Amino acid sequence: ENGMKVDFFGCARSGHNQISCLTKIVSTTNDQTIIANRNHPFLIAGLIGSSLFDNLGREYAAEVSAFDQTSSKGLEISLIQGVPVEVKFIFNDIDIQAIAISAFKPVFVNKSDQSIQGNFRNISF
């Protein structure tokens, strides 16, 4: 969608009350720069940003990590056409009673305000 493709590789506990979800994004049309995650300057009105919902109905905001950089405010990533880039979404302070993820919704937006939002559901961790 919009010249980008996102693959989802799963989520796992990565700490006592932390969950990490791994994606790979690739530009299908040309080299481009994107912003991964919420709170970035190119966020289109109406998009909710990257989030995770646990089976108890709680919503969590993400930190995003790629190329050994981490940010809670959005991360700029340069994509080369056809070359996948691993992007990890990290969610902290997960309720210890949660046993599954109802929905994981990563958001990526390019500088032309074109976006792609994943919607991955019913994920065990």
Side-chain angles (χ1 to χ4, degrees):
E1 187 174 323
N2 293 324
M4 297 174 276
K5 177 185 171 203
V6 176
D7 290 316
F8 174 58
F9 287 85
C11 297
R13 285 199 185 272
S14 53
H16 172 66
N17 60 346
Q18 183 183 74
I19 293 175
S20 295
C21 298
L22 181 63
T23 64
K24 287 189 182 179
I25 185 161
V26 63
S27 176
T28 59
T29 56
N30 60 334
D31 295 354
Q32 60 180 313
T33 300
I34 62 161
I35 305 289
N37 206 11
R38 66 169 67 219
N39 300 327
H40 53 75
F42 304 105
L43 187 62
I44 303 168
L47 287 180
I48 60 171
S50 300
S51 58
L52 178 139
F53 297 86
D54 68 20
N55 63 297
L56 304 173
R58 293 182 178 90
E59 180 178 9
Y60 303 92
E63 290 182 349
V64 65
S65 176
F67 297 123
D68 296 327
Q69 296 179 335
T70 302
S71 175
S72 60
K73 296 183 179 183
L75 188 61
E76 188 171 293
I77 301 168
S78 295
L79 298 178
I80 305 300
Q81 181 183 356
V83 178
V85 173
E86 285 189 3
V87 181
K88 185 186 298 185
F89 292 84
I90 304 161
F91 300 91
N92 293 305
D93 299 322
I94 302 295
D95 189 315
I96 59 172
Q97 295 179 354
I99 59 171
I101 298 165
S102 297
F104 166 51
K105 298 181 175 187
V107 173
F108 302 90
V109 179
N110 66 20
K111 290 193 175 183
S112 300
D113 284 341
Q114 296 174 310
S115 67
I116 185 170
Q117 179 177 26
N119 190 356
F120 307 103
R121 298 194 173 257
N122 302 320
I123 305 161
S124 297
F125 57 83

